[in-house]
Amino acid sequence: MSATSHMIPSTDDTLTRLAAIIESRKVANGGDPEKSYVARLLHKGPDAFLKKIGEEATETVMAAKDVDHGGDAAKLVYEVADLWFHSMIALAHYGLSPADVVNELARREGLSGLEEKALRKATERERLGE
Protein backbone atom coordinates (compact mmCIF):
# COMPACT_ATOMS: atom_id res chain seq x y z
CA MET A 1 0.00 0.00 0.00
CA SER A 2 1.43 3.39 -0.95
CA ALA A 3 1.61 6.36 1.37
CA THR A 4 -1.15 8.06 -0.63
CA SER A 5 -3.62 5.19 -0.72
CA HIS A 6 -5.07 5.72 2.77
CA MET A 7 -6.72 8.64 4.52
CA ILE A 8 -4.58 11.76 4.21
CA PRO A 9 -4.65 14.15 7.17
CA SER A 10 -5.06 17.84 6.45
CA THR A 11 -1.63 19.19 5.55
CA ASP A 12 -2.39 22.64 6.94
CA ASP A 13 -3.66 21.23 10.24
CA THR A 14 -0.70 18.87 10.64
CA LEU A 15 1.88 21.55 9.88
CA THR A 16 0.11 24.06 12.13
CA ARG A 17 0.02 21.62 15.06
CA LEU A 18 3.65 20.65 14.56
CA ALA A 19 4.70 24.31 14.31
CA ALA A 20 2.89 25.02 17.60
CA ILE A 21 4.69 22.14 19.30
CA ILE A 22 8.05 23.36 17.99
CA GLU A 23 7.22 26.89 19.18
CA SER A 24 6.38 25.53 22.65
CA ARG A 25 9.81 23.88 22.81
CA LYS A 26 11.66 27.20 22.58
CA VAL A 27 13.52 27.83 25.84
CA ALA A 28 11.77 31.22 26.06
CA ASN A 29 8.46 29.34 26.06
CA GLY A 30 9.50 26.83 28.72
CA GLY A 31 11.21 24.25 26.54
CA ASP A 32 13.80 22.20 28.43
CA PRO A 33 16.94 21.27 26.45
CA GLU A 34 17.47 18.36 28.88
CA LYS A 35 14.08 16.85 28.04
CA SER A 36 13.33 17.90 24.46
CA TYR A 37 15.27 17.25 21.26
CA VAL A 38 13.76 20.37 19.64
CA ALA A 39 14.58 22.52 22.68
CA ARG A 40 18.14 21.17 22.62
CA LEU A 41 18.60 22.04 18.92
CA LEU A 42 17.12 25.50 19.40
CA HIS A 43 19.22 26.09 22.53
CA LYS A 44 22.42 25.09 20.68
CA GLY A 45 21.58 27.64 18.00
CA PRO A 46 21.56 27.79 14.21
CA ASP A 47 24.73 25.77 13.66
CA ALA A 48 23.08 22.74 15.28
CA PHE A 49 19.78 22.76 13.38
CA LEU A 50 21.31 23.92 10.11
CA LYS A 51 23.75 21.01 10.28
CA LYS A 52 20.77 18.68 10.76
CA ILE A 53 19.04 20.21 7.73
CA GLY A 54 22.16 19.52 5.66
CA GLU A 55 22.31 15.93 6.90
CA GLU A 56 18.62 15.35 6.23
CA ALA A 57 18.88 16.89 2.76
CA THR A 58 21.72 14.51 1.94
CA GLU A 59 19.77 11.55 3.29
CA THR A 60 16.77 12.63 1.19
CA VAL A 61 18.90 12.69 -1.95
CA MET A 62 20.35 9.27 -1.15
CA ALA A 63 16.88 7.82 -0.51
CA ALA A 64 15.63 9.21 -3.83
CA LYS A 65 18.59 7.69 -5.64
CA ASP A 66 17.82 4.36 -3.96
CA VAL A 67 14.21 4.54 -5.21
CA ASP A 68 15.62 5.04 -8.72
CA HIS A 69 17.30 1.65 -8.28
CA GLY A 70 14.39 -0.27 -6.81
CA GLY A 71 14.58 0.96 -3.21
CA ASP A 72 11.57 1.47 -0.96
CA ALA A 73 9.78 4.77 -1.67
CA ALA A 74 8.64 4.82 1.98
CA LYS A 75 12.26 5.54 2.94
CA LEU A 76 12.13 8.65 0.76
CA VAL A 77 8.95 9.80 2.51
CA TYR A 78 10.62 9.19 5.90
CA GLU A 79 13.68 11.26 4.94
CA VAL A 80 11.61 14.11 3.49
CA ALA A 81 9.62 14.15 6.75
CA ASP A 82 12.89 14.53 8.66
CA LEU A 83 13.99 17.30 6.29
CA TRP A 84 10.70 19.17 6.65
CA PHE A 85 10.76 18.76 10.43
CA HIS A 86 14.23 20.20 10.82
CA SER A 87 13.40 22.97 8.35
CA MET A 88 10.41 23.83 10.54
CA ILE A 89 12.76 24.19 13.50
CA ALA A 90 14.76 26.72 11.47
CA LEU A 91 11.60 28.56 10.51
CA ALA A 92 10.56 28.78 14.16
CA HIS A 93 13.97 30.05 15.19
CA TYR A 94 13.73 32.86 12.65
CA GLY A 95 10.15 33.77 13.62
CA LEU A 96 8.58 32.16 10.57
CA SER A 97 5.99 29.42 10.10
CA PRO A 98 4.92 26.81 7.58
CA ALA A 99 2.20 29.28 6.53
CA ASP A 100 4.93 31.62 5.28
CA VAL A 101 6.27 28.84 3.05
CA VAL A 102 2.79 27.87 1.86
CA ASN A 103 2.07 31.52 1.04
CA GLU A 104 5.28 31.70 -1.01
CA LEU A 105 4.32 28.52 -2.88
CA ALA A 106 0.85 29.98 -3.51
CA ARG A 107 2.46 33.16 -4.83
CA ARG A 108 4.45 31.06 -7.29
CA GLU A 109 1.47 28.95 -8.34
CA GLY A 110 0.72 29.37 -12.00
CA LEU A 111 4.18 30.74 -12.82
CA SER A 112 6.53 28.54 -14.71
CA GLY A 113 9.75 27.88 -12.85
CA LEU A 114 11.64 29.70 -15.57
CA GLU A 115 9.38 32.76 -15.32
CA GLU A 116 9.64 32.79 -11.53
CA LYS A 117 13.44 32.58 -11.64
CA ALA A 118 13.65 35.38 -14.24
CA LEU A 119 11.35 37.54 -12.10
CA ARG A 120 13.55 36.98 -9.02
CA LYS A 121 16.68 37.90 -11.00
CA ALA A 122 15.05 41.07 -12.37
CA THR A 123 13.86 42.05 -8.89
CA GLU A 124 17.34 41.48 -7.45
CA ARG A 125 18.97 43.56 -10.23
CA GLU A 126 16.46 46.33 -9.57
CA ARG A 127 17.14 46.18 -5.83
CA LEU A 128 20.88 46.47 -6.45
CA GLY A 129 20.35 49.40 -8.84
CA GLU A 130 21.87 47.67 -11.86
Side-chain angles (χ1 to χ4, degrees):
M1 174 158 57
S2 76
T4 58
S5 63
H6 51 72
M7 290 294 293
I8 300 172
S10 165
T11 303
D12 288 344
D13 291 346
T14 301
L15 293 176
T16 299
R17 282 193 310 274
L18 184 54
I21 292 168
I22 291 169
E23 192 67 30
S24 76
R25 299 299 197 267
K26 288 181 174 179
V27 175
N29 295 332
D32 183 349
E34 298 297 318
K35 296 180 181 175
S36 165
Y37 172 74
V38 171
R40 186 176 310 136
L41 280 178
L42 289 167
H43 179 70
K44 287 181 177 179
D47 285 349
F49 58 76
L50 295 175
K51 179 180 177 185
K52 284 301 296 182
I53 291 170
E55 290 171 8
E56 299 303 341
T58 299
E59 291 171 6
T60 298
V61 170
M62 293 179 352
K65 295 299 257 176
D66 287 347
V67 172
D68 284 340
H69 299 286
D72 185 359
K75 174 76 171 154
L76 176 58
V77 170
Y78 180 89
E79 295 301 344
V80 170
D82 282 352
L83 178 58
W84 285 15
F85 176 75
H86 288 89
S87 296
M88 288 178 67
I89 292 171
L91 288 171
H93 173 80
Y94 294 109
L96 301 166
S97 73
D100 296 307
V101 177
V102 170
N103 289 339
E104 175 60 15
L105 291 171
R107 183 191 68 77
R108 296 179 186 185
E109 190 174 6
L111 288 177
S112 82
L114 297 174
E115 289 172 328
E116 197 276 331
K117 186 175 181 179
L119 181 60
R120 273 189 288 135
K121 283 184 176 183
T123 302
E124 184 64 15
R125 279 194 304 272
E126 190 175 291
R127 188 182 71 77
L128 295 173
E130 294 178 359

